[in-house]
């Protein structure tokens, strides 16, 4: 079965950086656009980044633009989210998700994504 597993979360100080990883299995990874989402307690889920099938197209939410980079390695079935200059408002559960598509685009739109990981917690201390 399809599995997505996020790792790399934890406690980080304001202004620091971290990289989240998402390992995919049970699917043809290069057939899926990948997205990263986050949800803070009491808040709605927010789409923050996505990457197209080959990585040629990325989209970053305005709220985090300039601080986030998304990448993927199709040879390893991995996608990554690098965050720098983190802020307390980045504290949330972070999820990766997969969108089956034939197009070389990606969408910051959660209903497109059919597979989701369990999430990894990121806590930013002030």
């Amino acid at each position: 079965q399809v599995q997505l597993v996020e790792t790399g979360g934890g406690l980080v100080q304001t202004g620091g950086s971290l990289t989240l990883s998402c390992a995919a299995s049970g699917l043809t990874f290069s057939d899926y656009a990948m997205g990263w989402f986050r949800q803070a307690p009491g808040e709605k889920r927010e789409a923050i980044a996505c990457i197209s099938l080959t990585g040629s197209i990325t989209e970053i939410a305005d709220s985090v633009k300039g601080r986030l980079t998304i990448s993927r390695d199709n040879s390893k079935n991995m996608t990554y989210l690098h965050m720098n200059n983190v802020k307390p408002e980045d504290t949330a559960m972070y999820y990766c998700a997969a969108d089956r598509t034939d197009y070389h685009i990606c969408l910051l739109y959660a209903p497109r994504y059919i597979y989701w990981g369990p999430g990894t917690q990121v806590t930013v201390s002030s």
Side-chain angles (χ1 to χ4, degrees), residues 30-52:
S30 57
D31 286 345
Y32 290 80
M34 299 299 294
W36 283 94
F37 301 79
R38 69 184 182 184
Q39 188 167 20
E43 302 289 332
K44 287 196 275 191
R45 181 172 50 191
E46 178 187 14
I48 56 174
C50 66
I51 188 165
S52 62

Side-chain angles (χ1 to χ4, degrees), residues 32-35 49-53 55 57-58 70-72 79 105-106:
Y32 290 80
M34 299 299 294
C50 66
I51 188 165
S52 62
L53 303 179
I57 301 292
T58 62
I70 185 171
S71 61
R72 66 187 294 161
T79 187
I105 61 170
C106 69

Side-chain angles (χ1 to χ4, degrees), residues 35 64 68 78 85 89 106:
V64 293
L68 260 63
M78 297 287 295
N85 191 24
E89 52 264 41
C106 69

